């Protein structure tokens, strides 16, 4: 069972949960996840003082750990279940990975930055989370070996939805991905039913860019 040996953070974590509730996330089981998974464990120790702010937090390598209420929104919309296999693009800190692991059967998480993947894996292992596989690589090509996926979670912004994600999404599957420019995106809910793919725009968001063969490149302005 996931626990928090650092009692100093318990009050801050409960305050964060209240902030998430204020954003309209009322599912008690979902909110319980944020009490079970200690966010500070997934962040560099130098920013532990910011771990329970409802805000993005820098984690190095020009990356951030996303705002917790936005991650709660992801979980609310996608509603992963214990029967679901999840593909996560952008492991980042590993915090959302851990939250997903509490809801899904298996999570396959791809991260471009090796150092972040290694750090996230260490945090997951420390908390004895065993149903997650991590890979370092180009997230824009997905992880075909374990497809199809019931849920695909993309934590970086793409100029369009990579075809690999559509191909690797299971029949009846759903995906959340920020789509737009480097500076401004719309969160898109993608559903696949047979050969039909639908797109539903949700919230305006701002994510770091998804870098790789089928998204932005380092040279893009």
């Amino acid at each position: 069972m996931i626990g928090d040996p650092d009692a100093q953070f318990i009050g801050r974590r409960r305050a964060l949960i209240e902030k998430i509730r204020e954003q309209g996330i009322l599912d008690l089981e979902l909110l319980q996840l944020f009490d079970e998974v200690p966010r500070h464990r997934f962040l560099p120790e130098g920013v532990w003082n910011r771990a329970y702010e409802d805000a993005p937090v820098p984690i190095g390598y020009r990356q951030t750990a996303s705002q917790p209420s936005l991650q709660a929104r992801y979980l609310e919309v996608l509603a992963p279940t214990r029967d679901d296999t999840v593909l996560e693009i952008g492991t980042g800190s590993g915090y959302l990975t851990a939250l997903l692991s509490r809801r899904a059967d298996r999570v396959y998480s791809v991260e471009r930055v090796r150092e972040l993947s290694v750090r996230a894996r260490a945090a997951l292992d420390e908390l004895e989370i065993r149903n997650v596989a991590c890979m370092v690589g180009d997230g824009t090509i997905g992880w075909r070996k374990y497809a199809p996926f019931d849920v695909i979670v993309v934590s970086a912004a793409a100029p369009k939805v990579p075809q690999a994600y559509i191909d690797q999404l299971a029949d009846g599957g759903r995906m959340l991905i920020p789509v737009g420019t480097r500076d401004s995106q719309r969160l898109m809910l993608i559903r696949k039913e047979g050969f039909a793919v639908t797109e539903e725009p949700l919230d305006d968001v701002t994510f770091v860019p998804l870098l790789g063969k089928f998204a932005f490149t380092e040279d893009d302005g």
Side-chain angles (χ1 to χ4, degrees):
M1 180 177 178
I2 292 176
D4 180 11
D6 303 294
Q8 62 177 311
F9 293 107
I10 293 176
R12 298 185 199 181
R13 195 156 70 243
R14 302 287 164 77
L16 171 63
I17 292 168
E18 186 57 35
K19 290 178 182 177
I20 294 172
R21 283 175 54 88
E22 290 170 0
Q23 295 298 316
I25 306 296
L26 303 178
D27 183 328
L28 294 180
E29 289 186 8
L30 194 161
L31 292 170
Q32 180 67 23
L33 297 181
F34 290 84
D35 199 30
E36 294 172 347
V37 180
R39 191 185 188 213
H40 66 278
R41 298 279 199 93
F42 293 89
L43 300 177
E45 191 168 351
V47 293
W48 276 12
N49 63 316
R50 298 187 56 192
Y52 296 100
E53 296 177 5
D54 188 26
V57 176
I59 56 174
Y61 308 97
R62 294 188 292 177
Q63 303 298 305
T64 60
S66 295
Q67 183 174 350
S69 61
L70 180 56
Q71 293 175 321
R73 172 76 163 141
Y74 264 63
L75 292 166
E76 179 184 54
V77 171
L78 292 170
T81 72
R82 276 299 180 186
D83 296 322
D84 285 339
T85 300
V86 177
L87 173 64
E88 180 188 33
I89 304 299
T91 312
S93 71
Y95 180 59
L96 180 58
T97 318
L99 294 170
L100 288 164
S101 78
R102 303 287 288 175
R103 278 288 180 95
D105 178 45
R106 291 287 297 174
V107 180
Y108 296 90
S109 188
V110 184
E111 172 57 51
R112 184 179 62 89
V113 181
R114 178 175 299 277
E115 292 84 354
L116 292 180
S117 182
V118 169
R119 194 163 70 197
R121 178 76 266 174
L124 292 164
D125 288 345
E126 186 179 84
L127 294 171
E128 299 183 355
I129 294 173
R130 306 300 187 200
N131 62 333
V132 172
C134 296
M135 179 176 73
V136 177
D138 182 350
T140 68
I141 64 177
W143 199 340
R144 186 171 298 279
K145 179 178 180 180
Y146 297 105
F149 300 99
D150 304 292
V151 172
I152 298 180
V153 180
V154 186
S155 296
K160 61 180 180 180
V161 181
Q163 184 60 41
Y165 299 168
I166 300 296
D167 295 342
Q168 293 174 39
L169 191 62
D171 186 7
R174 57 271 188 215
M175 166 174 40
L176 274 177
I177 178 172
V179 177
T181 67
R182 279 176 173 264
D183 301 319
S184 178
Q185 308 99 33
R186 178 67 64 87
L187 191 61
M188 302 296 294
L189 173 61
I190 313 296
R191 296 185 183 275
K192 186 176 182 181
E193 299 288 346
F195 294 104
V197 177
T198 61
E199 299 185 3
E200 178 185 351
L202 300 178
D203 311 321
D204 291 323
V205 292
T206 304
F207 278 80
V208 297
L210 178 65
L211 300 179
K213 184 176 181 180
F214 298 112
F216 294 107
T217 70
E218 293 278 10
D219 297 328
D220 290 331

